[in-house]
Amino acid sequence: MGVLERVREPRHLNGLSAEELDALAAEIRDVIVTTVSRTSGHLGPNLGVVELTLAVHRVFRSPRDPILFDVGHQSYVHKLLTGRYDGFDSIRSKGGISGYPSQDESPHDWIENSHASAALSHADGMAKAFAVRGERDRTVVAVVGDGALTGGMAWEALNNIAGGPQTGPDRRPLVIVVNDNGRSYSPTVGGLATHLAGLRTDPRYEQALDLVKRTLNRTPLVGPTTYEALHGLKKGLKDLLAPQGMFEDLGLKYIGPVDGHDRSAIEHALAQAKGFGGPVIVHCLTQKGYGYEAAVQDQVDHMHSPAAFDPVTGEPTAAPKRTLTHAFSDALVDAGRRRQDVVAITAAMLGPTGMEPFADEFPDRCFDVGIAEQHAAASAAGMAMTGLHPVVAIYSTFLNRAFDQVLMDCALHRAGVTFVLDRAGITGPDGPSHHGMWDTSILQVVPGLRMAAPRDADQLSEQFDEALEVHDAPTVIRFPGKEPADAAVKSIERIGGCDILARPGPDAAAAGDVLLVAVGAMAAAGVDAAERLQAQGVGVTVVDPRWIKPLDAALVDLARTHRLVVSAEDASRTGGVGSVLAQLLRDCGVDVPVHTFGIPARFIEHGKRAEILAELGLTGQGLAREVSGLVAALDSESGSGSEQADKPEPSAEHQHQKTV
Ligand SMILES: Cc1ncc(C[n+]2csc(CCOP(=O)(O)OP(=O)(O)O)c2C)c(N)n1
Ligand SMILES: CC(=O)[C@@H](O)[C@H](O)COP(=O)(O)O
Ligand SMILES: [Mg+2]
């Protein structure tokens, strides 16, 4: 039996010898590489925190001492040490353990926290709670990545943490472990990154200090006293060689930098920090992918979150496919070549959002602002006001954080900024925090903003170019970036700004049966549903609205000539396109039943995108089943002849909305 199998909870670590702990670290790495090579997931980040997480769990008492991770993707080691070695191979799969901390899984998991830069706020709140409740024997530990530290929330929290009592009985035990591997996906950017790099002490400083310490400690009587006196010089010397003002200027005690792969050194620093009893920063230098050569050698992002790969070579096991993200990437480069005013902004995700080719060709027109979506949006407004057309690429779920900047900094100022929301809709393995399901609902209320949902790569390019022509309002293009780019859905006719994708066949019982408004990625499912319903004699017209805000007036005219309007969207049903369409038809006096299908307003657990969409009925089969039941209900209400006894009732999952 290996060591890892004997560690069922963190306290089992404290009985292990140094040799057993080293063996344990090696076993943990093997389990992570072997598992992630099959399931995909966050490899580089977790290989980099093996020794760090072991040390944290040996010095602190989880869960009484909350251990928080920012970003939460670096919690695989924590999971293995807190009773989830069994079942770890189910990570990120439907019904398996989550790839992020999850309160449902373990009391050791406090916050899910995969939206970066939030952990220090949680930590500040917890530390204050412990102080108010007099629980002075509890310490909050926040393991924060250098990338996460580039997010504004982190500095709001640090301002508050530093503003609290740093000494005396009221100080709040809070240890901030900076997991500094110098990277987000790519190298971390900005002044903070430069400062952190500067804190990687000049080796001469440590060597000089060691020599002085060893020499003086060998000098009887006078030596140790002199060393202590010199200790006061230490800070001056360190500042001289490794200016570390930032944290200490904030009034925060700083320990480090510590070798983040030397477990005992980290334990020593953490014990020091714990003993201090107030807010302390322990700065650990780690390497993303440490201990697995293929990740270390990967200069792109040290295998941050690779798809399945060969554990021996590190090579992907599936052939790379062209996706909608690639289509956007090409469209952006084309636009950059045609227009000097087009510039690109990323929030530390240059690669994943497809902006790298643009950055390679136009390095002076591409800006990585760090994990700072709010700054990305507001600085883009500034660019738009001064003659540029910025393209801001952000995963849909991460735009939530910049809603106010889109509303007040962009839309209020009629700033021509184009937001490209990749990973829109159900994403899958990253679970509830990552589904891009809220953008269409929250952006519906932004005055003047225009939003498009391309159904395939061709439409993505076309609508992106249309967006670049809008200079007096923010525009948004949203799509599920990982979807293949070769699944084109052809239009048979364009009416106004909408595309007709299918019409009832000649043998449909009633040509004006159903108008199915298929939004963006739902186009293929809509056409499939129409074919299934056609076979039942139900005539369906499938229309792709293309621009979903504002909706095209052509939809109103189309609705007038149908008995039933149905909408389907890979986005939140609440406040989504369907509900806006129902309101539009009502406002236009079109009294036709409208039934809307989308993602229900609840947190959707992780799984594969396709299996989650199927579960939600957002497939051709699912939509056909629901619409069939709705038409049957209409028929029975009107007593018309096209009744089919076998049409099932709409399922409870799809609480439909009917115009009043
Ligand atoms: C608000 C937000 N924006 C973007 C992301 C996407 N993202 C996931 S991990 C990551 C990089 C995190 O870097 P760091 O905190 O240094 O952790 P590391 O991966 O280096 O361990 C980013 C940008 C996110 N999780 N949250
Ligand atoms: C932790 C995080 O937010 C990202 O790493 C996310 O996992 C990216 O997912 P994709 O694989 O969709 O790029
Ligand atoms: Mg990092």
Side-chain angles (χ1 to χ4, degrees), residues 329-548:
S329 183
D330 294 345
L332 179 63
V333 169
D334 290 347
R337 290 171 180 159
R338 282 182 281 113
R339 293 195 19 195
Q340 293 307 308
D341 62 330
V342 169
V343 293
I345 299 177
T346 176
M349 297 182 82
L350 192 75
T353 58
M355 284 192 153
E356 214 140 30
F358 183 93
D360 292 342
E361 188 160 340
F362 309 105
D364 299 337
R365 290 160 53 192
C366 189
F367 303 91
D368 181 348
V369 298
I371 310 181
E373 286 82 2
Q374 294 171 322
H375 176 67
S379 63
M383 289 174 165
M385 292 175 189
T386 45
L388 296 179
H389 193 117
V391 175
V392 184
I394 295 178
Y395 283 9
S396 162
T397 187
F398 300 135
L399 183 81
N400 298 350
R401 180 163 283 183
F403 171 74
D404 188 60
Q405 287 73 24
V406 173
L407 180 67
M408 289 301 165
D409 294 296
C410 295
L412 180 67
H413 297 121
R414 293 181 297 284
V417 177
T418 296
F419 292 92
V420 173
L421 305 187
D422 196 330
R423 285 12 177 223
I426 293 292
T427 49
D430 281 297
S433 61
H434 273 66
H435 298 306
M437 58 183 274
W438 295 283
D439 59 284
T440 52
S441 300
I442 62 176
L443 295 176
Q444 288 296 346
V445 298
V446 179
L449 177 141
R450 295 173 51 80
M451 184 162 37
R455 61 176 183 269
D456 57 29
D458 294 343
Q459 278 302 303
L460 196 163
S461 303
E462 189 176 315
Q463 292 167 28
F464 177 63
D465 286 345
E466 289 168 6
L468 293 180
E469 296 310 315
V470 177
H471 302 294
D472 59 355
T475 49
V476 176
I477 311 280
R478 54 121 39 203
F479 54 87
K482 285 188 165 178
E483 288 298 277
D486 55 7
V489 182
K490 293 297 173 212
S491 165
I492 51 180
E493 184 185 358
R494 177 156 297 179
I495 299 179
C498 304
D499 279 349
I500 303 297
L501 307 179
R503 284 200 184 282
D507 52 350
D513 263 344
V514 181
L515 176 68
L516 201 166
V517 181
V519 175
M522 285 292 107
V527 171
D528 178 49
E531 286 162 5
R532 293 168 184 267
L533 289 160
Q534 181 70 40
Q536 299 172 28
V538 174
V540 179
T541 303
V542 181
V543 59
D544 168 10
R546 299 180 66 253
W547 286 84
I548 55 176

Side-chain angles (χ1 to χ4, degrees), residues 42 44-46 49 70-71 73-74 100 114-117 144-149 179 181 183-185 188 288 304 347-349 371-373 395 398 401 434:
H42 290 93
N46 285 290
V49 294
D70 193 349
V71 175
H73 66 303
Q74 53 191 270
Y100 300 92
S114 70
H115 283 207
S117 319
V144 184
D146 55 306
L149 273 181
N179 170 28
N181 52 29
R183 305 179 77 94
S184 288
Y185 281 77
T188 302
K288 210 163 192 172
H304 175 91
M349 297 182 82
I371 310 181
E373 286 82 2
Y395 283 9
F398 300 135
R401 180 163 283 183
H434 273 66

Side-chain angles (χ1 to χ4, degrees), residues 19-42:
E19 291 71 26
E20 287 174 315
L21 287 162
D22 291 346
L24 175 59
E27 283 178 44
I28 288 172
R29 281 194 167 87
D30 284 348
V31 168
I32 290 175
V33 170
T34 308
T35 303
V36 175
S37 71
R38 278 186 298 100
T39 64
S40 80
H42 290 93

Side-chain angles (χ1 to χ4, degrees), residues 41-219:
H42 290 93
L43 184 77
N46 285 290
L47 292 174
V49 294
V50 174
E51 289 77 17
L52 186 157
T53 309
L54 280 168
V56 165
H57 275 297
R58 279 172 48 85
V59 174
F60 296 97
R61 291 284 169 270
S62 173
R64 183 162 177 72
D65 295 334
I67 314 286
L68 316 180
F69 291 91
D70 193 349
V71 175
H73 66 303
Q74 53 191 270
S75 58
Y76 292 11
V77 183
H78 164 80
K79 291 194 174 219
L80 286 167
L81 299 177
T82 52
R84 283 162 281 181
Y85 169 58
D86 295 338
F88 186 73
D89 57 358
S90 70
I91 195 164
R92 290 162 46 98
S93 59
K94 188 166 175 49
I97 64 172
S98 165
Y100 300 92
S102 165
Q103 293 177 345
D104 295 340
E105 277 177 31
S106 167
H108 294 279
D109 291 7
W110 285 81
I111 51 173
E112 198 273 351
N113 196 68
S114 70
H115 283 207
S117 319
L120 290 179
S121 297
H122 288 274
D124 182 42
M126 292 176 181
K128 285 169 180 168
F130 295 156
V132 167
R133 292 160 49 93
E135 296 179 309
R136 304 213 54 80
D137 63 330
R138 303 183 72 175
T139 302
V140 185
V141 181
V143 179
V144 184
D146 55 306
L149 273 181
T150 60
M153 271 184 78
W155 292 91
E156 293 170 20
L158 281 171
N159 183 43
N160 280 274
I161 292 165
Q166 301 302 308
T167 56
D170 297 333
R171 63 190 190 285
R172 302 167 191 142
L174 195 169
V175 176
I176 300 167
V177 182
V178 174
N179 170 28
D180 179 7
N181 52 29
R183 305 179 77 94
S184 288
Y185 281 77
S186 40
T188 302
V189 296
L192 168 75
T194 309
H195 185 82
L196 283 177
L199 290 178
R200 292 187 181 91
T201 306
D202 179 313
R204 286 172 301 161
Y205 165 77
E206 293 297 348
Q207 287 151 10
L209 197 71
D210 264 354
L211 179 64
V212 166
K213 186 174 175 181
R214 273 183 281 111
T215 309
L216 286 172
N217 282 340
R218 279 201 302 272
T219 312

